[in-house]
Amino acid sequence: MAFDQTWEQIFKSQSWGKYPSEDVVRFIASRSKSVPDCGKIRVLDVGCGGGAHTWFLAREGFDTFGIDGSESAIRQALALLDRDGLKANLTVGDFTQLDYPAEFFDVIIDSSAVQHNSFSNIRLIHQQIWNLLKPGGYFFGILINTQTSGWEDAEKLEENTYTNFKTGPIQKELLVHFFTESEVCEIMSGYEAFNLEKTTRTVSNGRDQYGHFVVNGRKPL
Ligand SMILES: C[S@@+](CC[C@H](N)C(=O)[O-])C[C@H]1O[C@@H](n2cnc3c(N)ncnc32)[C@H](O)[C@@H]1O
């Protein structure tokens, strides 16, 4: 069991992530240009949280699935879908144990969710993501990186994994694994057409820095 119940406390007391990120929208827009019927494309939103991307995917007409460990997050996601008369298959569950048939999904997205796990669990999750993707299917991820401030004075749990943040943009009690480029290359090593971008921006009026890798790749046929 890797799911951190801190998330349930967060989602119980606030709504999180109502709007989809530009990076996800760009990726989906670029991939769906050539798709004649989105309804035939099965997409999984791993760690869907309050459902911003699940909502976007369902609205675009994809056969949409989402999983999150927080019941309150899934409730928020369902409310967002309901508001606009949209449907998705949502599950409350720990995504270190993804219970879907092998080669079930055409696309799997991770928008800043898998990073909230230890690196050994991240490896485990990525083995499963690989198994769940159809040959020719795509993985897309937004992964926080070591350019983000706050880890310097946080509590170190393992290499690049921290909790108990005192400064920086991360909520104090969360567990975060900050990816290095070589770790991203390791988890993406089987994919072809691998694309890796980096974004770094300041937050809190320039006081803190947020860095991410934005990656995608295709499982070979
Ligand atoms: C930063 S939020 C991102 C939510 C959403 N993807 C978004 O972009 O708005 C991280 C999410 O991952 C979920 N999560 C983290 N580790 C998990 C695990 N092992 N199993 C299930 N959910 C997990 C949390 O509950 C939370 O909803």
Side-chain angles (χ1 to χ4, degrees):
M1 181 75 184
F3 176 66
D4 175 358
Q5 288 297 335
T6 307
W7 284 109
E8 178 53 20
Q9 299 315 314
I10 291 173
F11 281 104
K12 242 185 196 166
S13 57
Q14 67 189 70
S15 58
W16 176 306
K18 198 166 157 199
Y19 301 102
S21 88
E22 186 183 340
D23 290 311
V24 174
V25 174
R26 267 180 202 279
F27 172 72
I28 294 296
S30 72
R31 298 271 21 111
S32 57
K33 269 189 223 141
S34 53
V35 174
D37 180 0
C38 290
K40 294 205 169 88
I41 304 294
R42 222 177 260 145
V43 187
L44 173 64
D45 183 5
V46 173
C48 61
H53 302 103
T54 312
W55 169 85
F56 170 67
L57 293 163
R59 203 205 62 176
E60 291 302 293
F62 292 98
D63 185 8
T64 306
F65 291 67
I67 180 168
D68 201 282
S70 161
E71 271 184 48
S72 298
I74 293 292
R75 228 174 284 129
Q76 283 181 27
L78 284 169
L80 200 56
L81 291 162
D82 262 12
R83 186 197 66 187
D84 295 334
L86 299 169
K87 293 261 174 288
N89 302 275
L90 298 187
T91 307
V92 178
D94 188 329
F95 58 54
T96 55
Q97 291 154 30
L98 288 168
D99 191 15
Y100 303 97
E103 301 187 352
F104 192 62
F105 293 107
D106 298 280
V107 179
I108 299 182
I109 71 161
D110 162 26
S111 165
S112 304
V114 170
Q115 66 193 32
H116 294 288
N117 289 267
S118 66
F119 195 62
S120 55
N121 277 330
I122 290 170
R123 280 194 174 113
L124 187 70
I125 295 158
H126 269 277
Q127 276 164 15
Q128 295 178 70
I129 288 176
W130 178 265
N131 293 337
L132 295 179
L133 274 176
K134 293 179 185 174
Y138 278 84
F139 171 74
F140 169 90
I142 302 175
L143 317 168
I144 199 165
N145 70 29
T146 52
Q147 299 300 303
T148 305
S149 41
W151 58 267
E152 304 87 342
D153 55 359
E155 181 187 341
K156 184 171 179 173
L157 300 174
E158 59 173 27
E159 196 59 23
N160 298 326
T161 306
Y162 292 85
T163 189
N164 199 9
F165 293 91
K166 296 175 186 67
T167 57
I170 313 288
Q171 200 157 319
K172 181 181 188 301
E173 63 277 13
L174 291 176
L175 177 153
V176 177
H177 181 79
F178 298 93
F179 282 83
T180 63
E181 192 162 329
S182 66
E183 287 171 338
V184 176
C185 291
E186 179 198 319
I187 60 170
M188 295 300 292
S189 61
Y191 292 87
E192 58 186 24
F194 174 45
N195 188 66
L196 181 146
E197 310 294 348
K198 293 172 209 169
T199 64
T200 309
R201 67 183 172 95
T202 56
V203 288
S204 314
N205 200 25
R207 194 186 62 222
D208 297 323
Q209 195 163 289
Y210 236 136
H212 290 91
F213 292 117
V214 181
V215 297
N216 67 78
R218 185 173 59 222
K219 183 174 171 177
L221 286 170

